[in-house]
Every structure is written in structure tokens, then in C-alpha cells.
């Protein structure tokens, strides 16, 4: 009874029993006939028949299971010995979850088919391994060639295959290379239409970069832009003209993209007229016609010019601003010699410092003007061919000298402010309108026989000793205690009192040596004899006596 079979799925069978007992799929009825002889009395079956197995534990079979097993044919029993019983798919709930706590066998593969599939997979892996090895060897050879091409800075020809993210994929001798869109053409960013049109064509490129990752996979990045740039820099010549686009604006000029390179248009070459800022002519994104003025092939720099392509704003200016016209303008900038005033778009003229004020002696135009100030100016001179315009500010203002005699007549006592101190004397401003000159000989002595020392900004009591409105000349002198102007006689008297007799004798001797014709001259050589008599018609000293010869030339135009 030790070979008694155990029916699969029998209730009550323990795990240990099934692990130690081999399963025979012979039907139960056949097995029973072999085990019991005909002469042996057979017990009547019960409602729940059971079979005792020794030494295996008792296995109880239900009536339903016994009926299923007993109805099996010999062919079914043979089939069950060669394959695992299939699970009916209908037994798996629709939309339910498969219970993976126990394995569910759905079928088997024959040994022959399995062996064939394994062999085919092995051959496929070997073929793939061989293919990759051949590609690796080819890539190694090509990359060795590309390394030499890069070192020699040579070009190669590639076939553009397809559009990929960031650019184009190309091939060289069967090896893939990457052509970024930023290195495709003349501009930094190629359009989608340009990239699409390049597919299926060939292009000359340079090796931009060779890369190798940690796994040893190598890749190449190529550039068509570098080839185009080399062709550009080898052929561009001075005087060539291009239509460009303003890319950026700086205080010193604008940068213009002419397609393959950028060049600088300096502010001095941006317009035919003098401009203060580049924004007066150009704006970012604006199309600009330029001419190549300088080429630096070694540093790959371009200097461009636009003024040749600009219409001349000075054409017709002589008709617009005839000499003598008074126009409104804006002060744009100032120099030591004058102020530049804009009277029209890109039309500026110079107001010389001598043409700013009728009566004030100015050190700088900023004494009167501020940048951006609107003023009225008169057109004094005009030369459209040379783009020169001379303007006058004082000519557009009333001349205070015409009424000077009613304000500062000779003998008028005034309080002025020292504007300037020189070796020749003082420049003093009176009534906030006129600058008069006080020669050193008209300055009273201090105690000890020395001339009074004045600083800029000091107030001083003075008296008008000479006035010449035509020559714009005003001569001042300090006031004596009795209210009279300080004269040469006062100067000689105070000088004698301040010096000893020895010195006075020395000066008399000097006067004798200078002769009779020099007795009216002071120690500094100036002749002030006219002031001693109080002559109102004396020529006096004009403001021009303070100027150098060069300044006098500028003053006279």
C-alpha cells in the first residue's frame, strides 16, 4: 500500500505529506483493482469514502472530487502527466486583483521550442555584441582622424541626417556628429526653416569639440559657423558696405550685426553732425547701413561707419537761419572757451565765452549757463559746407552799457565784490552787472607802505574814475578818507611816508634817470597822468589789457 496514489486537491492532506509522496495520476478505480484481490470482500462505500495509506497519513477525498477523478479518461491522465494543469481564465474575477500569494500556472512551453528560443536569443546577443564591437572600432578610427583634423584646424564634409533637439544630427563616415543650431549659420540662432532646409544636404564644418564620457562613449560637436567666419575674415575688405542691425548701444557708440560678425560704429562716425549720445541717431533693433572703415583680422574686430549713409542736415540751414536771426536753442555742453547750443535736430552752434555777456568778465560759461538750459541766441556766422555755426548770447540781450552812464557815472561811489586778483590789479563786479578794473596804482597803501591785499569775494569801497561804454571799459579806484579817488599823487605821498628818506632820494634819482618823459609813470610802468587831472575823456585801461595775446585773438574772432 506504500504506492497508493494521492489525488491532487484532496482535502485534509498536509504539506509534509505532499512533499514526501510522489503523485501518480492513475485513476483511483484502477489503483483499487490492483491492490485488492477478487476474493477479498469489499466494504460498502460510505457517504464520505476514505483510503488509508501506510505509512503516509490518511487522505480524505470528498464525493465530488472522487466523481471528477473517476470520470477521467486514460488519455486525460496521460496528458496530465506531461503538463501542468491549466487554470481556467474564467476563474479569475473580471476587474479583480490576481492573488500573487500563490503561483498561478497558465501553461507550459515544450522543451524543443524553449531550446530553439534560447538558441536564437543567444545568436542575437552575439550578433549585437559583434556589431557594437565593429562600431566601436570604427568610431575609434574616425575619432582618431577627427582629432588630427581638429589639431590641424581643417574642415570636413558631413551629411545632415535629421533634426534633433538643439540642432542637427549629421554623419561622417558612418559616425554620428552633432551640429548645434547656434553653430549652423551666420547668426547666433538659426531659424526652424533654415534647419529643416538643411536636412539631406552636405556641409563643410570644423571640429568644435570632441567628448568622451565615463563609459568611454565618444561624441563630436561640429561647427559650420566657424567655416563661414573664416571665409568672411579672409575676404572682407575696407570700404565694403553692409545692411546691419543695431544690437546694443553704449555711451561711446553702437554695435551692429552685419550677419557673420559684429562691428562698432563709434559715436564720431555715427553722424555727419556732432551728437551728444548715440540714441540721437540709432535705437536697438534698428536697421543701419554701414561701411567697413577698419579691419583687424588678427583680433577679428571691425570698425564701421554710418555717417556716409546719412543725409546731410546742414543742407538748407543758411536759408533756415540767416545771419542776424535770433533763435531758441538748448545748451548741450560747455568748454573753457564757450558753450555749444543746439538750435535744430543735429544742428549745433558755438557761443564763445566773449559773446555770452556784455559787461561781465567770465571764467567759464557755467557762470551763466547750465546744461539743458533754453536760451535765445543770435546767428553771427554760418558756413554750411564746414558745418560751422557761430552764435551769440549777449547779442540777443539788451546791452547794459547803453545805460551805464546813468547808473555808474564818473565819480559814483560803489561797493563792489572782488572777482579776480592779478599782478596788474583787481577785477571788481559792481551793481551785479558790470565788471570794472582797478589798477594796482589805484589801490591805497596799507600801513607800512604796502599795497592792500584783497581776496576773491572780498567787498571793497570804490569810485568810478573812468567810463567808456563804447569800449565796454570801466576803471575803478579806492576811496580816500575825504571821498576823493586814490591818485598817483596819493600813491607817491604814501609811498614816501612809508619809506625812509634814503629810499625817497633813491626814487628821485631814478626819476631823474628815467627822464622828464617818464615822470608820470608809476613803478609798474603804467601812465596814469590822465587820472590826476580827473579827465573824463581819458582813454584809461580796458578789459582787454587783462588778456593774453592768444585770448585777444579769440576775442576778436
Amino acid at each position: 500500500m506504500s504506492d497508493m496514489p494521492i489525488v491532487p486537491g484532496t482535502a485534509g492532506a498536509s504539506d509534509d505529506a505532499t512533499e514526501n509522496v510522489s503523485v501518480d495520476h492513475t485513476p483511483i478505480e484502477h489503483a483499487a483493482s490492483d491492490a485488492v484481490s477478487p476474493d477479498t470482500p469489499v466494504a460498502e462505500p460510505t457517504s464520505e469514502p476514505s483510503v488509508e495509506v501506510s505509512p503516509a497519513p490518511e487522505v480524505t477525498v470528498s464525493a465530488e472530487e472522487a466523481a471528477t477523478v473517476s470520470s477521467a479518461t486514460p488519455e486525460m491522465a496521460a496528458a496530465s502527466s506531461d503538463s501542468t494543469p491549466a487554470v481556467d481564465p474564467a476563474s479569475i474575477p473580471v476587474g479583480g486583483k490576481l492573488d500573487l500569494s500563490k503561483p498561478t500556472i497558465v501553461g507550459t512551453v515544450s522543451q524543443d521550442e524553449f531550446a530553439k528560443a534560447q538558441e536564437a536569443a543567444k545568436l542575437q546577443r552575439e550578433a549585437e555584441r559583434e556589431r557594437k564591437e565593429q562600431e566601436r572600432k570604427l568610431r575609434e578610427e574616425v575619432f582618431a582622424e577627427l582629432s588630427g583634423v581638429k589639431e590641424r584646424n581643417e574642415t570636413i564634409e558631413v551629411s545632415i541626417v535629421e533634426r534633433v533637439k538643439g540642432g542637427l544630427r549629421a554623419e561622417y563616415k558612418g559616425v554620428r556628429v552633432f551640429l548645434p543650431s547656434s553653430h549652423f549659420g551666420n547668426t547666433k540662432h538659426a531659424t526652424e526653416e533654415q534647419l529643416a532646409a538643411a536636412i539631406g544636404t552636405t556641409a563643410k564644418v570644423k571640429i568644435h569639440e570632441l567628448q568622451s564620457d565615463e563609459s568611454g562613449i565618444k561624441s563630436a560637436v561640429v561647427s559650420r559657423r566657424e567655416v563661414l567666419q573664416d571665409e568672411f575674415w579672409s575676404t572682407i575688405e575696407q570700404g565694403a558696405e553692409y545692411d546691419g542691425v543695431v544690437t546694443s548701444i553704449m555711451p561711446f557708440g553702437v554695435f551692429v550685426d552685419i550677419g557673420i560678425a559684429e562691428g562698432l560704429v563709434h559715436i564720431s562716425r555715427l553722424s555727419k553732425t556732432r551728437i551728444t549720445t548715440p540714441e540721437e541717431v540709432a535705437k536697438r533693433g534698428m536697421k543701419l547701413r554701414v561701411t567697413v572703415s577698419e579691419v583687424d583680422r588678427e583680433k577679428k574686430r571691425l570698425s564701421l561707419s554710418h555717417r556716409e549713409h546719412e543725409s546731410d542736415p546742414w543742407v538748407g540751414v543758411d536759408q533756415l537761419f540767416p545771419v542776424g536771426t535770433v533763435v531758441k536753442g538748448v545748451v548741450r555742453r560747455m568748454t573753457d572757451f564757450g558753450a555749444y547750443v543746439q538750435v535744430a535736430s543735429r544742428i549745433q552752434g558755438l557761443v564763445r565765452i566773449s559773446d555770452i555777456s556784455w559787461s561781465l568778465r567770465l571764467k567759464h560759461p557755467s557762470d551763466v549757463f547750465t546744461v539743458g538750459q533754453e536760451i535765445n541766441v543770435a546767428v553771427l556766422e554760418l558756413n554750411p559746407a564746414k558745418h560751422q555755426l557761430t552764435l551769440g548770447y549777449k547779442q540777443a540781450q539788451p546791452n547794459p552799457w547803453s545805460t551805464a552812464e546813468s547808473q555808474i557815472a564818473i565819480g559814483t561811489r560803489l561797493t563792489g565784490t572782488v572777482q579776480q586778483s592779478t599782478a596788474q590789479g583787481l577785477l571788481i563786479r559792481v551793481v551785479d552787472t558790470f565788471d570794472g578794473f582797478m589798477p594796482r596804482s589805484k589801490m591805497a597803501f596799507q600801513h607800512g607802505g604796502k599795497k592792500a591785499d584783497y581776496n576773491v569775494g572780498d567787498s571793497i569801497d570804490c569810485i568810478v574814475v573812468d567810463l567808456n561804454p563804447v569800449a565796454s571799459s570801466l576803471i575803478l579806484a579806492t576811496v580816500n578818507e575825504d571821498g576823493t579817488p586814490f591818485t598817483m599823487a596819493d600813491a607817491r605821498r604814501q609811498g614816501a611816508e612809508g619809506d625812509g628818506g634814503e629810499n625817497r632820494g633813491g626814487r628821485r634819482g631814478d626819476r631823474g634817470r628815467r627822464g622828464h618823459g617818464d615822470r608820470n609813470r608809476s613803478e609798474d610802468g603804467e601812465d596814469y597822468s590822465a587820472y590826476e587831472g580827473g579827465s573824463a575823456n581819458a582813454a584809461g585801461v580796458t578789459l582787454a589789457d587783462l588778456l593774453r595775446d592768444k585770448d585777444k585773438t579769440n576775442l576778436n574772432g
Side-chain angles (χ1 to χ4, degrees):
M1 297 296 293
S2 59
D3 296 330
M4 189 67 180
I6 299 175
V7 179
T10 301
S14 66
D15 294 339
D16 295 337
T18 58
E19 290 176 0
N20 298 324
V21 178
S22 61
V23 178
D24 188 357
H25 296 283
T26 305
I28 294 178
E29 57 184 8
H30 294 183
S33 64
D34 293 340
V36 181
S37 65
D39 298 332
T40 304
V42 179
E44 291 295 330
T46 62
S47 59
E48 294 182 2
S50 61
V51 179
E52 294 183 359
V53 179
S54 180
E58 181 179 354
V59 177
T60 303
V61 180
S62 65
E64 183 179 357
E65 292 174 341
T68 302
V69 174
S70 63
S71 64
T73 63
E75 291 77 11
M76 295 173 62
S80 65
S81 63
D82 296 335
S83 62
T84 303
V87 176
D88 185 4
S91 64
I92 301 176
V94 177
K97 295 183 178 179
L98 181 66
D99 184 9
L100 298 179
S101 62
K102 296 180 180 180
T104 302
I105 308 301
V106 296
T108 59
V109 178
S110 67
Q111 293 296 327
D112 291 342
E113 292 179 356
F114 181 76
K116 291 179 181 179
Q118 290 289 90
E119 184 66 20
K122 180 179 178 181
L123 294 176
Q124 185 177 1
R125 289 194 299 270
E126 290 178 354
E128 182 68 15
R129 189 180 303 109
E130 183 178 355
R131 183 187 65 81
K132 290 184 177 181
E133 180 63 19
Q134 291 177 353
E135 288 184 356
R136 185 189 66 79
K137 291 181 179 180
L138 176 61
R139 186 172 290 274
E140 290 287 346
E141 294 175 359
V142 173
F143 268 78
E145 178 185 347
L146 295 180
S147 297
V149 172
K150 188 175 188 301
E151 291 178 359
R152 295 187 297 271
N153 197 29
E154 296 176 345
T155 62
I156 60 173
E157 190 171 273
V158 298
S159 300
I160 299 176
V161 179
E162 62 178 342
R163 174 78 164 94
V164 294
K165 182 179 180 180
L168 298 169
R169 183 174 68 82
E171 289 186 355
Y172 176 71
K173 293 185 177 181
V175 176
R176 296 179 178 181
V177 296
F178 178 59
L179 175 57
S181 59
S182 59
H183 284 261
F184 174 75
N186 296 335
T187 59
K188 293 182 179 180
H189 302 285
T191 63
E192 193 63 33
E193 292 76 10
Q194 291 173 331
L195 296 177
I199 298 175
T201 64
T202 60
K204 286 186 177 181
V205 297
K206 279 191 172 185
I207 309 300
H208 182 69
E209 187 177 1
L210 295 175
Q211 301 173 340
S212 179
D213 59 16
E214 296 179 354
S215 61
I217 299 178
K218 297 181 178 181
S219 59
V221 179
V222 297
S223 173
R224 179 172 172 260
R225 180 179 174 86
E226 294 180 12
V227 177
L228 298 176
Q229 285 181 339
D230 289 345
E231 294 176 354
F232 171 80
W233 289 106
S234 62
T235 57
I236 189 170
E237 296 293 341
Q238 184 175 351
E241 296 182 1
Y242 293 89
D243 289 318
V245 178
V246 177
T247 57
S248 60
I249 299 178
M250 305 298 290
F252 50 83
V254 300
F255 286 93
V256 178
D257 185 357
I258 60 174
I260 189 63
E262 278 189 350
L264 171 65
V265 182
H266 192 267
I267 189 171
S268 61
R269 293 175 173 171
L270 197 55
S271 175
K272 291 182 177 180
T273 62
R274 185 179 183 89
I275 58 177
T276 306
T277 61
E279 286 84 353
E280 297 179 31
V281 176
K283 298 188 184 319
R284 188 172 181 179
M286 174 181 175
K287 293 183 178 180
L288 212 63
R289 184 75 174 174
V290 293
T291 299
V292 177
S293 55
E294 295 180 17
V295 180
D296 189 337
R297 303 183 194 278
E298 182 178 352
K299 296 182 179 180
K300 293 186 177 181
R301 292 180 180 176
L302 285 179
S303 294
L304 307 174
S305 176
H306 171 66
R307 60 187 176 190
E308 296 86 354
H309 308 282
E310 182 188 52
S311 59
D312 191 351
W314 287 83
V315 175
V317 170
D318 52 346
Q319 300 176 3
L320 185 63
F321 303 121
V323 174
T325 304
V326 177
V327 297
K328 282 187 174 294
V330 179
V331 178
R332 291 303 184 190
R333 61 191 183 95
M334 291 179 281
T335 65
D336 292 337
F337 52 82
Y340 285 93
V341 178
Q342 183 176 354
V343 295
S345 176
R346 291 181 289 169
I347 302 293
Q348 291 186 6
L350 173 63
V351 179
R352 293 191 177 94
I353 194 169
S354 58
D355 289 321
I356 295 178
S357 175
W358 288 108
S359 57
L360 300 180
R361 167 76 172 176
L362 304 177
K363 295 180 181 178
H364 195 269
S366 59
D367 294 341
V368 177
F369 298 144
T370 58
V371 174
Q373 179 182 351
E374 293 186 2
I375 60 175
N376 293 333
V377 290
V379 177
L380 304 182
E381 296 179 17
L382 179 61
N383 189 335
K386 294 184 178 181
H387 294 179
Q388 291 179 351
L389 175 62
T390 303
L391 304 173
Y393 176 69
K394 69 180 184 182
Q395 288 81 359
Q397 309 296 324
N399 187 351
W401 288 105
S402 61
T403 60
E405 292 182 341
S406 62
Q407 292 181 275
I408 51 173
I410 295 177
T412 304
R413 292 187 59 173
L414 304 165
T415 298
T417 303
V418 177
Q419 301 295 313
Q420 186 178 355
S421 178
T422 67
Q424 289 77 26
L426 301 176
L427 186 67
I428 301 173
R429 183 163 300 172
V430 294
V431 297
D432 295 329
T433 305
F434 301 96
D435 283 346
F437 181 59
M438 179 182 289
R440 290 190 64 84
S441 60
K442 293 295 183 182
M443 297 169 57
F445 285 93
Q446 291 180 332
H447 295 292
K450 295 182 179 179
K451 290 287 186 180
D453 188 15
Y454 294 98
N455 298 318
V456 174
D458 290 347
S459 294
I460 183 173
D461 291 332
C462 54
I463 188 171
V464 177
V465 296
D466 183 54
L467 177 63
N468 189 340
V470 176
S472 301
S473 174
L474 172 64
I475 304 300
L476 304 172
T478 55
V479 184
N480 292 323
E481 294 180 357
D482 58 0
T484 59
F486 187 85
T487 63
M488 285 294 299
D490 297 325
R492 284 194 292 270
R493 183 175 61 255
Q494 290 187 8
E497 294 174 354
D499 296 335
E502 179 180 354
N503 290 335
R504 290 197 301 271
R507 283 200 300 272
R508 283 196 298 270
D510 291 340
R511 285 199 298 271
R513 287 192 297 271
R514 286 196 298 266
H516 180 75
D518 294 333
R519 63 185 178 185
N520 290 325
R521 291 186 177 274
S522 65
E523 293 178 348
D524 55 11
E526 296 289 349
D527 186 0
Y528 299 114
S529 57
Y531 301 120
E532 295 182 0
S535 173
N537 297 322
V541 179
T542 66
L543 293 177
D545 294 327
L546 293 175
L547 302 176
R548 298 172 297 178
D549 292 339
K550 180 181 178 181
D551 295 332
K552 292 178 181 178
T553 302
N554 294 334
L555 182 62
N556 294 328

